[in-house]
Amino acid sequence: MNVVAPFEGIGASVRRKEDFRFLAGRGQYTDDINRPGQTYAFILRSPHAHATINRIDTAAAKAMPGVVAIFTGEDMAGIGGLPCGWQIHNKDGSPMAEPKHPVLAEGKVRHVGDPVAVVIAETKAQARDAGEAIVVDYTPLAAAATLDQALKAGAPQVHDGAPGNLCYDWHIGDRAALDAAFAKAHKVVAFETTNNRLVPNAMEPRAAIGEYDPQSGDYTLYTTSQNPHVIRLLMGAFVLSIPEAKLRVVAPDVGGGFGSKIYHYAEEAIVTWASARVKRPIKWTAERTESFMSDAHGRDHVSKAELALDAEGRILGLKVHTYANMGAYLSTFAPCVPTYLYATLLAGVYSTPVIYAEVKAVFTNTVPVDAYRGAGRPEATYLLERLMDVAAAEIGMDRVEFRRKNFIPVDAFPYQTPVALQYDSGNYFATLDAALEAADWKGFEARRAAAKARGKLRGIGISTYLEACGIAPSAVVGSLGARAGLYEVGTIRVHPTGSVTVLTGTHSHGQGHETTLAQLVADRLGVPLANIDIVHGDTAKVPFGMGTYGSRSLAVGGSAMFKAMDKIIAKGKRIAAHLMEAAVEDVEFDRGTFRVAGTDKTKTLTDISLAAYVPHNYPIEEIEPGLDETAFYDPKNFTYPGGCHIAEVEIDPETGKVSMVNFTAVDDVGRVINPMIVEGQVQGGVAQGIGQALLESAIYDADGQLISGSMMDYTMPRADDLAPISVATHTTLCTHNPLGVKGCGEVGAIGSPPAVINAVVDALKDHGVRHIEMPATPAKIWNIINGSHRMAAE
């Protein structure tokens, strides 16, 4: 009896290979690594949001047990500051303000948590004890802790080189055309909102180990990073001036990132630099409260939008003005988030003839803000999808039909938006219809009535969204200010016995790459999944790649792998032709088998791989030995996932608590490699979106103190805060990458917040609510229902 092997290729819900070691507790994270002779670092951080440093007294601390060394900003003043990876230009063409971001504070601190000194000691406890013995003489200064404070006349200046605390004043679109569109509008709908600041809170806190080898002069950094090659480039070339050949960066298993582990952080440079001074390895691991004031935050926009409509409810134009909080310094990719990752998405899924957006980026005395799951696209989607509901209500049109009326037609692709992007494919009608059916939209009013009979307020909300993934192409983003290429690399190494090792420049921190990338190989080369290894995260092993963010791993990294497999197959055909005495053009390949067309002559991939390394039967002067190919892929365009999310909520008017009843997501993520992993990615993103909509907010007081700086005050979603999350896909293929994939890692966090808030507003419509700001907490809602005041409603 022949046993048929289960299909493991594209489209199969294969169980994640990596989960076996994770569930058995055998993952290796940075904090699990311990090096011989290792010491420990404690970072002393500023308790002030803004202050001058008059003197740092380390004498008592240096005399404490176990202390190896103490360093301050004065010791590190000769090295470079943490670099910014993207430069934005102002409306007048001048470059943005780009003040130095010192590794350790030099003369002044600019946010609570700014690193001031580092203690190296034999144990973590000794390092902490000594750190607490350091005496810093500060002169506190007035802080600009919020956008309002920073923009007021006479506000405290975060940086002397950024007058008015303005980093840049940027715009996109045709203002004259917009004014003309508004002049002929039948109705203009205005809307203002704040996109609340979030703290990423990955399960694994950041950690770093710096190690210097005095014999070779080599440095090694182990770190919780989403892109180790970029860290090596930024830290080696721009901060510490270490030749790249002398610096190895290893990112082992990483327990979640959501964008917060893309950037080059001060702690990585500190432990690497200091390891050469003390000639011993140094480990630093953040505690959770420390992460709140040292990890880059997300979101934090204040926006005003105006939508011009004709008499039939069709969109004529959109005008947006946004203030974006940068925090105290420019994090690695921060400047591009409110510009090219935000304003270019303001067309959404709608035929919008003209758009004009201006963005002012502002420095404040707060933790730097950078990309967080979705990075600019959630902010754009939230603004637009709330505006669509507000506009539909003001003109008296059904919110679903208002969207449908303004959708980009299916036959309009490729569709050029007025804000630079060209969408290659999509069918927004199909995802809308599928979601409406799955959510039983038509039956909602009966459910609302039943809830009312139980004393509850029921609401349903919709979001039809689009995002851009796989930031590209390198030449285009380079012209827009990116200081790095955005290609990806893949190496396919077929070993003599037919097993395969894949070396990829992308990085996995929970996405399941060891499974999905292996499925690409299994599908194309016909190699069993168990015989495929995925290697990533080590600059000493992997060719230079750009890491993982922006849902780029399959669209860009997978496409590089696909091109490398093209080379493998092409070389394999040449070897097979010699072995089977045929013309190369007559050799076909399909999932592990080379065949001479029209004959029964075949060779397996293993036959060819063995011959490749044992070149007895083909002319070595024509074909080099080995079956090991590398390819790079630089995408021609972004990919454009989109879809429809529907949230159903129930509110208890006695407490103001919102309960999620149901959530439906129908997404077009292009070709689906592993449906189970796509479902998990979408569900995780939706959970984070619900967290932003109902629970999470990083709040600073007027003095710049982070008053939601721990899990006691910052509310993360728990299982009982979520609803059943139904996930389905409707596929239109990406037309410009060889896999047809679009990306799924961020869609849940992009489409869900406006769907949830639209549902909350729908539940409260009888109370005259037009809008409620995120997070829609029980206190806000209770006050609205009970008429105490309308602090969050308009």
Side-chain angles (χ1 to χ4, degrees):
M1 178 178 177
N2 293 327
V3 178
V4 178
F7 177 65
E8 299 176 319
I10 293 174
S13 288
V14 177
R15 288 187 179 183
R16 300 191 348 159
K17 293 176 65 176
E18 50 269 77
D19 285 352
F20 292 104
R21 73 173 188 275
F22 292 147
L23 293 172
R26 294 173 182 162
Q28 186 178 58
Y29 299 87
T30 300
D31 191 57
D32 294 324
I33 298 169
N34 292 294
R35 304 298 299 154
Q38 179 174 287
T39 60
Y40 294 82
F42 172 79
I43 310 291
L44 180 67
R45 300 181 182 278
S46 170
H48 302 287
H50 199 197
T52 56
I53 300 173
N54 303 315
R55 187 173 64 90
I56 303 176
D57 184 352
T58 61
K62 286 180 177 178
M64 294 184 69
V67 173
V68 176
I70 298 176
F71 301 107
T72 68
E74 186 174 316
D75 299 304
M76 299 190 73
I79 70 171
L82 300 177
C84 178
W86 201 297
Q87 184 183 61
I88 297 298
H89 286 78
N90 295 300
K91 292 174 182 174
D92 63 5
S94 61
M96 67 185 184
E98 194 171 354
K100 182 180 180 181
H101 184 178
V103 175
L104 287 173
E106 298 173 5
K108 182 182 277 192
V109 292
R110 292 181 171 87
H111 68 88
V112 171
D114 214 353
V116 173
V118 58
V119 179
I120 315 298
E122 299 291 349
T123 70
K124 189 173 183 179
Q126 288 172 333
R128 173 183 287 280
D129 288 345
E132 292 174 351
I134 295 173
V135 178
V136 184
D137 179 15
Y138 294 103
T139 299
L141 303 171
T146 65
L147 285 167
D148 285 343
Q149 286 178 313
L151 292 167
K152 284 180 180 176
Q157 294 298 288
V158 181
H159 297 281
D160 294 338
N165 293 316
L166 194 65
C167 176
Y168 57 75
D169 183 1
W170 175 90
H171 68 160
I172 191 170
D174 188 333
R175 180 61 188 264
L178 182 97
D179 290 342
F182 271 67
K184 63 180 183 181
H186 175 76
K187 175 77 172 177
V188 174
V189 178
F191 173 67
E192 295 184 40
T193 190
T194 296
N195 204 288
N196 44 322
R197 178 183 281 233
L198 302 177
V199 179
N201 277 311
M203 186 175 290
E204 177 201 23
R206 287 191 301 112
I209 303 171
E211 183 172 10
Y212 174 72
D213 183 347
Q215 304 301 319
S216 65
D218 291 343
Y219 293 81
T220 301
L221 170 68
Y222 302 89
T223 184
T224 48
S225 176
Q226 299 176 215
N227 51 358
H229 272 104
V230 173
I231 302 305
R232 186 181 73 166
L233 173 64
L234 295 177
M235 185 178 74
F238 298 102
V239 183
L240 301 183
S241 299
I242 300 172
E244 284 185 84
K246 307 299 287 182
L247 175 60
R248 177 189 181 196
V249 177
V250 181
D253 290 326
V254 173
F258 315 117
S260 70
K261 293 174 182 172
I262 299 172
Y263 331 116
H264 176 34
Y265 284 99
E267 295 85 3
E268 294 166 326
I270 290 169
V271 297
T272 304
W273 176 86
S275 68
R277 272 55 188 180
V278 303
K279 304 295 190 292
R280 293 173 64 182
I282 302 169
K283 176 188 279 191
W284 169 81
T285 303
E287 296 185 358
R288 182 62 63 183
T289 299
E290 188 176 14
S291 296
F292 272 84
M293 57 183 178
S294 65
D295 292 5
H297 292 175
R299 317 291 192 241
D300 207 345
H301 286 189
V302 174
S303 298
K304 179 179 180 180
E306 295 177 82
L307 189 68
L309 302 169
D310 69 12
E312 282 74 46
R314 288 187 173 84
I315 297 171
L316 299 175
L318 173 66
K319 179 166 58 178
V320 173
H321 182 278
T322 293
Y323 289 107
N325 196 336
M326 293 286 100
Y329 303 102
L330 291 178
S331 182
T332 308
F333 295 111
C336 73
V337 174
T339 52
Y340 295 108
L341 297 183
Y342 163 72
T344 57
L345 267 293
L346 287 170
V349 295
Y350 308 111
S351 296
T352 309
V354 59
I355 297 173
Y356 177 77
E358 54 185 359
V359 178
K360 293 184 178 181
V362 181
F363 290 112
T364 62
N365 292 116
T366 63
V367 172
V369 176
D370 208 320
Y372 174 64
R373 198 170 192 170
R377 290 94 84 200
E379 295 92 317
T381 297
Y382 181 76
L383 180 68
L384 189 58
E385 288 304 297
R386 281 296 299 123
L387 179 60
M388 293 300 287
D389 260 32
V390 169
E394 288 201 12
I395 65 174
M397 184 178 291
D398 177 81
R399 51 191 162 154
V400 172
E401 293 312 308
F402 180 53
R403 286 172 166 83
R404 197 189 300 273
K405 179 186 284 284
N406 285 288
F407 276 167
I408 298 165
V410 176
D411 61 3
F413 294 95
Y415 177 78
Q416 180 62 53
T417 76
V419 278
L421 300 183
Q422 185 182 85
Y423 308 156
D424 66 313
S425 67
N427 186 338
Y428 312 128
F429 300 90
T431 51
L432 171 65
D433 290 341
L436 292 173
E437 181 177 355
D440 187 20
W441 185 273
K442 291 181 179 178
F444 171 72
E445 289 304 328
R447 298 194 295 278
R448 192 202 296 269
K452 186 176 181 180
R454 292 184 284 105
K456 308 294 184 183
L457 304 175
R458 193 98 161 196
I460 195 167
I462 190 168
S463 166
T464 47
Y465 77 94
L466 173 137
E467 70 147 324
C469 293
I471 305 173
S474 290
V476 172
V477 297
S479 69
L480 301 177
R483 290 164 169 164
L486 292 172
Y487 56 83
E488 199 45 76
V489 64
T491 294
I492 306 294
R493 183 172 295 159
V494 184
H495 299 289
T497 56
S499 62
V500 175
T501 296
V502 177
L503 308 174
T504 176
T506 67
H507 189 279
S508 180
H509 40 281
Q511 297 92 335
H513 291 176
E514 293 176 33
T515 302
T516 51
L517 296 184
Q519 285 183 261
L520 298 182
V521 178
D523 192 88
R524 190 97 193 278
L525 299 185
V527 179
L529 216 63
N531 294 346
I532 303 167
D533 288 323
I534 307 298
V535 177
H536 59 89
D538 187 340
T539 62
K541 297 178 180 179
V542 177
F544 194 103
M546 298 307 297
T548 292
Y549 43 85
S551 300
R552 70 188 301 273
S553 296
L554 272 175
V556 189
S559 293
M561 289 173 53
F562 193 93
K563 291 181 66 178
M565 285 189 280
D566 281 344
K567 293 182 179 181
I568 292 288
I569 293 167
K571 185 172 183 178
K573 285 181 177 180
R574 294 177 66 195
I575 297 172
H578 282 284
L579 296 183
M580 294 187 288
E581 299 179 332
V584 174
E585 55 269 21
D586 290 336
V587 177
E588 302 171 337
F589 178 78
D590 181 47
R591 291 183 178 175
T593 301
F594 293 88
R595 180 184 302 276
V596 178
T599 76
D600 59 358
K601 291 184 177 181
T602 62
K603 292 288 182 182
T604 66
L605 178 64
T606 301
D607 294 332
I608 301 307
S609 63
L610 183 60
Y613 289 93
V614 186
H616 296 168
N617 298 313
Y618 65 86
I620 197 169
E621 65 275 6
E622 295 180 18
I623 306 174
E624 294 179 349
L627 203 54
D628 185 339
E629 298 289 347
T630 296
F632 291 81
Y633 177 73
D634 199 334
K636 298 176 182 178
N637 191 0
F638 288 85
T639 63
Y640 299 99
C644 178
H645 288 185
I646 296 175
E648 192 164 335
V649 304
E650 197 168 271
I651 297 174
D652 182 350
E654 293 187 1
T655 64
K657 178 174 171 47
V658 178
S659 296
M660 296 297 305
V661 176
N662 193 39
F663 196 98
T664 302
V666 178
D667 303 292
D668 176 4
V669 297
R671 177 170 280 117
V672 174
I673 306 302
N674 186 313
M676 178 191 71
I677 288 178
V678 168
E679 182 178 12
Q681 286 273 18
V682 174
Q683 289 176 336
V686 168
Q688 285 183 288
I690 291 171
Q692 176 172 17
L694 300 180
L695 302 165
E696 299 182 48
S697 189
I699 300 171
Y700 284 89
D701 68 12
D703 295 322
Q705 293 294 322
L706 181 59
I707 60 176
S708 57
S710 75
M711 291 296 187
M712 295 292 290
D713 303 295
Y714 187 93
T715 310
M716 296 283 288
R718 303 178 305 179
D720 59 356
D721 293 311
L722 306 176
I725 301 171
S726 169
V727 177
T729 57
H730 175 89
T731 298
T732 64
L733 297 179
C734 174
T735 62
H736 56 77
N737 70 51
L739 294 171
V741 298
K742 295 184 177 182
C744 71
E746 297 161 299
V747 296
I750 291 169
S752 58
V756 173
I757 294 299
N758 285 342
V760 171
V761 172
D762 182 56
L764 296 173
K765 64 181 182 179
D766 290 344
H767 292 270
V769 173
R770 181 179 187 258
H771 178 57
I772 185 168
E773 295 284 18
M774 298 189 291
T777 62
K780 287 181 183 178
I781 294 172
W782 189 91
N783 281 315
I784 291 168
I785 292 171
N786 289 276
S788 299
H789 51 77
R790 306 241 172 209
M791 55 184 279
E794 296 177 6

